[in-house]
Amino acid sequence: MFRSRRRGLSGTRLLLFSLLSLASWEAGSGQVYYSVPEEAKHGTFVGRIAQDLGLELAELVPRLFRVASRDHGDLLEVNLQNGILFVNSRIDREALCGRRLECSLHLEVIVDRPLQVFHVEVEVKDINDNPPVFREEKQKILISESAPPDSHFPLEGASDADVGVNSLLTYRLSPNEFFSLKTVTKNDKNMLPELVLQNSLNREETPELKLLLSAEDGGKPELTGSIEIQITILDVNDNAPEFEKPAYKAALFENVPNGTIVIQLNASDPDEGLNREIIYGIRQVLPVSEKCMFSIHSETGEIRVYGKLDFEENNEYEIQVQAIDKGSPSMASHCTIFVEVLDLNDNVPEVTVTSLSLAVREDAQIGAVIASISVSDQDFGTNGQVTCSLTPQVPFKLVSTYKNHYSLVLDSALDRENVPSYQVVVTARDGGSPALWATASVSVEVSDVNDHAPAFAQPEYTVFVKENNAPGCHIFTVSARDADAQENARVSYALVERRVGERALSSYVSVHAESGQVFALQPLDHEELELLRFQVSARDAGVPPLGSNVTLQVFVLDENDNAPALLPAGAGALGGALGGARGELVSRSVGAGHVVAKVRAVDADSGYNAWLSYELAPWAGGARSPFRVGLYTGEISTTRGLDEADAARQRLLVLVKDHGEPALTATATVLLSLVESGQAPQAAPSRVAVAGAAAALVDVNVYLIVAICAVSSLLVLTLLLYSALRCWAPGRGAASAEAKPPVVCASAVGSWSSSQQRRQRVCSGEGPPKADLMAFSPCLTQSREDSLNSSTEVSN
């Protein structure tokens, strides 16, 4: 019957605690409270934590819902399917909190994306699961037969590991005719039993008594414990030792050295001889511990520390001391020493980073939570008050969320390109003197955002390519740098498509998307295309992508790939295709210097490659030939007067040669028939006009050569003066770089200067313009000018 009653009461008690836990939580200041009885079974319902925190069940798993407890993380668990907090393993309140009245578990509920931290307090309710326990199975008491009625004899009380009502003990004594039981309340509100002598003892009649002392706690159902009291009746030693006071107080700092004196007791006995010699002993030390914390000298009554006192483990002790004389029988008296343990600042603060978010985007909003930090200190009072601080010069700050819990939040804007990561040091310092401190390091990585477009080193490049290049040859490499990282810094290149004449730009050039190498897709022809100007774009792989453009000026340099071409005869000149011949009648009466014919030729090339010269083949006309050809005019004139000795038919072979390397040539055959003056055609006025025009053309060529030499000399002098000024005043280089400097082109016969927009031709006074001489160069920056003057072969 007793067992079934206890089981029924136990089930009723668990049901009562479960109902209390359902109704005991409340929300305030971001905290939820629950309660749960100790020793609850696995799976016992504690609370609907997800619902109470305002979280949806569907978001628990995606947001990484988890419960963290600093020291007891496995006692409680959350079912992620229904959001219920339940008991996961055995909860022993006495092991968690000892005899403290308040006992609770602090839980941190953490969810990510975004990071939120909730604080939950779960109070562990005490149940009556520990019966009263006596230190020994049997207690022996020596009582003199001369003890008067109403004498009090303290007994060793029982201890109960529970708290509150469950630890309130009541005592009962087995029925007897000599003693009754009285309960005495001490300063610490502990109830200690005492035997009260009701009737005088007679050792001869009753030398020994055995009584049963029972202790019952206040729990429901109540639990009991018992001890046998063995009373030995002693013969007359009628004075027991007496202490000065029934209770003493002492205070010691924790961590005092082993052997430190606690108190010096002094009991007295008015008897004589052995009956007044006293032996001291410790009866009991509360709270009961396996370690012996104090010792007493049996003769002097000096109590010393025997072990190590720790305020955080226990801040108060009760030492029960007895003094026994050496009489026969001996007599004893008792006193109590209350020892207060004072706190020292001997515990360093602890810093715990309980949650870290992922890498922080550099465009994160100010106030974003980066990490959750908790601090603690086991000391008491000021020694346990902890303040936190961060290393200076970091864009973060600490925000207090609950007691010693903080959130590390963003305080100012981030820029990954300047600082890609931070090592934040959190310092926790207590209020002791001297203060103790501890640090914890938090690594914060800054993730990249695509906020930088690819950038070229300069906005425009000038490239020189010789014509007749091989198809697919590499002509230049563009390169752009992106300050971002990973995909945001991966640059790809592409042509900015446009039309070049009737064709698309992509039919001339292409650009490699990854390397930025620019290729000519087909052979370029200077005579068809002298300047190809286009843009290349650089785009990163960010979302959205960013980009920029660079301009390329590709100048096609001339090569000597076109031989001189003879023009058809006309306006008094002779000409023909290579190997062709045409006759002309010449009067024998003409004098020296008379122009009899003219060879005209053009060259499709430019510059020196198109500068033509004429000469007679050494074998044409023999050594005494009366004719010569103008070096640059192509006019055939007499060197002397004609006579009868000259052959009637003269065959002249004129070589037309350009100034390219190597030079290309063409030949023209001129047939002259010498006739008498009466047989010559009447074209004297025309001959005179031709002669005058030839003389004028010779003068023009001479003036042109002189002008070119003068301009070249002036340009060289200007360049020397400009270089000297730049060396003397380097600060003006930035300003001069913005202007469009003149372009200088070097050649074997001097230096010519021209602008990017002008093209000069030297023309004779008759017929269409002749491209015998042409000067054309691109507009270069000063940095390319020196390189051009030293290494570039000029054409066009």
Side-chain angles (χ1 to χ4, degrees):
M1 292 297 292
F2 179 75
R3 289 183 179 177
S4 63
R5 179 177 179 271
R6 290 195 61 182
R7 284 197 297 268
L9 289 175
S10 177
T12 304
R13 180 184 58 196
L14 289 177
L15 177 60
L16 177 60
F17 278 113
S18 298
L19 292 175
L20 288 175
S21 66
L22 285 172
S24 64
W25 72 271
E26 63 179 13
S29 302
Q31 186 175 5
V32 177
Y33 292 88
Y34 298 108
S35 64
V36 63
E38 65 170 330
E39 305 295 340
K41 295 182 179 180
H42 173 77
T44 299
F45 174 87
V46 178
R48 299 185 183 277
I49 189 170
Q51 176 181 340
D52 297 338
L53 294 177
L55 300 176
E56 297 293 335
L57 294 180
E59 66 180 348
L60 297 185
V61 173
R63 292 189 63 187
L64 303 180
F65 181 96
R66 59 194 184 277
V67 174
S69 179
R70 182 178 176 187
D71 299 319
H72 312 289
D74 59 342
L75 297 181
L76 299 174
E77 189 60 68
V78 175
N79 187 333
L80 297 182
Q81 303 300 319
N82 55 24
I84 291 178
L85 180 67
F86 64 91
V87 176
N88 186 49
S89 59
R90 177 177 176 267
I91 302 176
D92 188 352
R93 186 188 184 283
E94 286 70 34
L96 288 176
C97 305
R99 295 184 58 81
R100 292 201 300 269
L101 294 179
E102 296 181 1
C103 182
S104 61
L105 296 173
H106 175 72
L107 305 179
E108 281 188 348
V109 179
I110 304 168
V111 292
D112 287 337
R113 304 169 186 169
L115 177 64
Q116 290 181 281
V117 179
F118 303 92
H119 300 277
V120 178
E121 291 284 345
V122 179
E123 182 182 2
V124 180
K125 297 289 187 178
D126 182 53
I127 66 172
N128 193 24
D129 58 340
N130 291 283
V133 176
F134 290 90
R135 188 169 60 92
E136 297 176 351
E137 295 181 357
K138 182 182 294 186
Q139 186 173 351
K140 295 181 179 182
I141 299 178
L142 303 176
I143 301 178
S144 174
E145 65 177 342
S146 61
D150 202 34
S151 296
H152 290 235
F153 303 94
L155 299 177
E156 179 182 344
S159 63
D160 196 321
D162 295 321
V163 295
V165 176
N166 296 328
S167 66
L168 294 179
L169 303 180
T170 57
Y171 296 91
R172 286 195 297 269
L173 187 65
S174 60
N176 68 92
E177 62 177 318
F178 295 103
F179 295 95
S180 64
L181 188 65
K182 182 180 180 180
T183 303
V184 179
T185 302
K186 297 294 185 180
N187 293 340
D188 59 351
K189 298 181 180 181
N190 284 337
M191 308 288 287
L192 294 179
E194 290 184 351
L195 289 178
V196 180
L197 184 62
Q198 299 291 328
N199 300 309
S200 297
L201 298 174
N202 189 336
R203 181 183 177 277
E204 287 68 29
E205 293 180 1
T206 311
E208 186 178 81
L209 286 173
K210 292 185 178 180
L211 306 176
L212 184 64
L213 178 64
S214 299
E216 183 178 270
D217 62 23
K220 297 297 182 180
E222 63 274 6
L223 300 178
T224 62
S226 61
I227 186 174
E228 180 182 346
I229 307 298
Q230 183 175 342
I231 302 174
T232 301
I233 310 300
L234 302 177
D235 204 9
V236 175
N237 178 18
D238 55 355
N239 288 289
E242 292 184 1
F243 289 97
E244 295 177 353
K245 295 185 293 184
Y248 298 87
K249 290 185 178 182
L252 294 173
F253 282 103
E254 63 175 334
N255 298 333
V256 294
N258 189 19
T260 300
I261 296 176
V262 179
I263 196 172
Q264 174 74 56
L265 296 177
N266 185 20
S268 60
D269 194 319
D271 293 328
E272 295 288 341
L274 291 178
N275 291 333
R276 67 176 302 168
E277 293 182 9
I278 300 173
I279 297 176
Y280 298 93
I282 296 177
R283 299 178 63 242
Q284 186 179 18
V285 178
L286 295 176
V288 178
S289 174
E290 295 180 357
K291 298 184 293 182
C292 181
M293 303 303 298
F294 303 96
S295 65
I296 188 170
H297 194 282
S298 62
E299 295 182 357
T300 64
E302 186 179 77
I303 299 178
R304 293 178 179 269
V305 175
Y306 185 76
K308 182 180 179 181
L309 300 180
D310 189 351
F311 176 87
E312 288 71 38
E313 182 177 337
N314 202 339
N315 61 0
E316 189 177 51
Y317 292 91
E318 178 183 326
I319 307 173
Q320 298 178 5
V321 179
Q322 67 179 2
I324 305 175
D325 61 24
K326 295 182 179 181
S328 180
S330 61
M331 299 188 70
S333 64
H334 307 83
C335 73
T336 302
I337 299 96
F338 296 97
V339 180
E340 180 184 4
V341 181
L342 304 178
D343 185 42
L344 286 175
N345 191 24
D346 59 341
N347 289 281
V348 177
E350 296 181 5
V351 184
T352 305
V353 180
T354 59
S355 174
L356 274 178
S357 62
L358 302 176
V360 183
R361 288 170 56 93
E362 62 177 319
D363 62 348
Q365 296 295 321
I366 294 176
V369 178
I370 309 302
S372 177
I373 299 169
S374 62
V375 296
S376 62
D377 194 313
Q378 297 181 13
D379 291 322
F380 181 74
T382 304
N383 295 332
Q385 294 177 358
V386 181
T387 58
C388 288
S389 61
L390 295 180
T391 50
Q393 307 300 323
V394 293
F396 307 100
K397 67 178 180 180
L398 288 175
V399 175
S400 177
T401 57
Y402 171 77
K403 292 182 181 178
N404 289 332
H405 294 79
Y406 300 86
S407 290
L408 181 67
V409 301
L410 185 62
D411 190 41
S412 60
L414 301 175
D415 187 354
R416 188 205 65 83
E417 287 70 38
N418 289 332
V419 183
S421 64
Y422 293 90
Q423 199 71 19
V424 182
V425 178
V426 181
T427 302
R429 189 180 304 272
D430 62 26
S433 180
L436 300 179
W437 54 274
T439 61
S441 181
V442 181
S443 180
V444 180
E445 297 293 332
V446 182
S447 63
D448 185 50
V449 173
N450 192 24
D451 55 351
H452 289 82
F456 292 94
Q458 58 190 65
E460 185 175 290
Y461 293 93
T462 300
V463 183
F464 296 92
V465 181
K466 289 185 177 181
E467 65 175 334
N468 302 321
N469 56 282
C473 73
H474 171 247
I475 62 174
F476 193 69
T477 299
V478 294
S479 178
R481 180 183 177 276
D482 196 311
D484 293 319
Q486 298 178 352
E487 291 298 312
N488 295 331
R490 186 163 60 85
V491 180
S492 60
Y493 303 91
L495 286 177
V496 178
E497 189 62 76
R498 70 176 184 87
R499 304 292 296 179
V500 180
E502 298 297 327
R503 301 170 60 182
L505 173 65
S506 56
S507 65
Y508 287 95
V509 292
S510 68
V511 60
H512 193 276
E514 295 181 0
S515 66
Q517 292 181 322
V518 181
F519 300 94
L521 299 180
Q522 62 182 11
L524 299 177
D525 189 353
H526 172 80
E527 288 72 35
E528 176 187 344
L529 183 65
E530 298 179 1
L531 172 62
L532 182 60
R533 183 183 177 92
F534 59 93
Q535 287 187 324
V536 176
S537 67
R539 294 289 182 272
D540 59 30
V543 178
L546 301 177
S548 61
N549 295 342
V550 67
T551 300
L552 266 65
Q553 291 190 111
V554 179
F555 287 93
V556 182
L557 302 179
D558 184 53
E559 286 191 335
N560 193 24
D561 58 344
N562 289 282
L566 297 173
L567 295 178
L574 295 176
L578 289 174
R582 183 170 181 177
E584 184 69 26
L585 299 177
V586 180
S587 174
R588 289 182 178 272
S589 62
V590 298
H594 182 75
V595 176
V596 297
K598 181 176 181 179
V599 177
R600 297 180 62 200
V602 294
D603 196 311
D605 294 320
S606 301
Y608 280 94
N609 296 328
W611 189 11
L612 303 180
S613 61
Y614 304 84
E615 62 183 30
L616 288 177
W619 62 85
R624 295 183 65 258
S625 174
F627 302 100
R628 66 179 178 84
V629 63
L631 180 60
Y632 298 113
T633 64
E635 295 177 343
I636 300 174
S637 60
T638 58
T639 60
R640 57 179 174 81
L642 301 177
D643 54 28
E644 295 297 332
D646 294 319
R649 294 181 64 83
Q650 297 283 336
R651 182 183 179 89
L652 302 179
L653 185 63
V654 179
L655 298 179
V656 184
K657 181 170 63 174
D658 59 28
H659 285 71
E661 291 293 340
L664 300 178
T665 62
T667 59
T669 302
V670 180
L671 299 178
L672 299 178
S673 298
L674 303 184
V675 298
E676 297 301 328
S677 58
Q679 299 176 355
Q682 301 296 323
S686 177
R687 296 294 185 184
V688 174
V690 170
L697 185 58
V698 172
D699 293 341
V700 170
N701 285 338
V702 172
Y703 294 150
L704 181 59
I705 293 174
V706 173
I708 289 174
C709 294
V711 171
S712 300
S713 301
L714 181 59
L715 181 59
V716 170
L717 181 61
T718 302
L719 289 176
L720 292 176
L721 181 59
Y722 176 71
S723 300
L725 289 176
R726 284 201 63 185
C727 295
W728 176 72
R732 301 179 59 185
S736 62
E738 299 177 359
K740 294 287 186 178
V743 179
V744 179
C745 300
S747 69
V749 296
S751 299
W752 298 348
S753 173
S754 70
S755 68
Q756 186 176 350
Q757 293 79 18
R758 296 180 58 192
R759 174 169 176 173
Q760 299 176 353
R761 295 177 181 269
V762 178
C763 305
S764 63
E766 57 189 35
K770 176 183 178 182
D772 287 342
L773 179 60
M774 185 185 306
F776 181 82
S777 296
C779 183
L780 303 179
T781 61
Q782 189 65 32
S783 62
R784 295 296 301 268
E785 183 176 314
D786 297 336
S787 173
L788 179 64
N789 288 336
S790 60
S791 62
T792 304
E793 178 182 356
V794 175
S795 62
N796 194 21

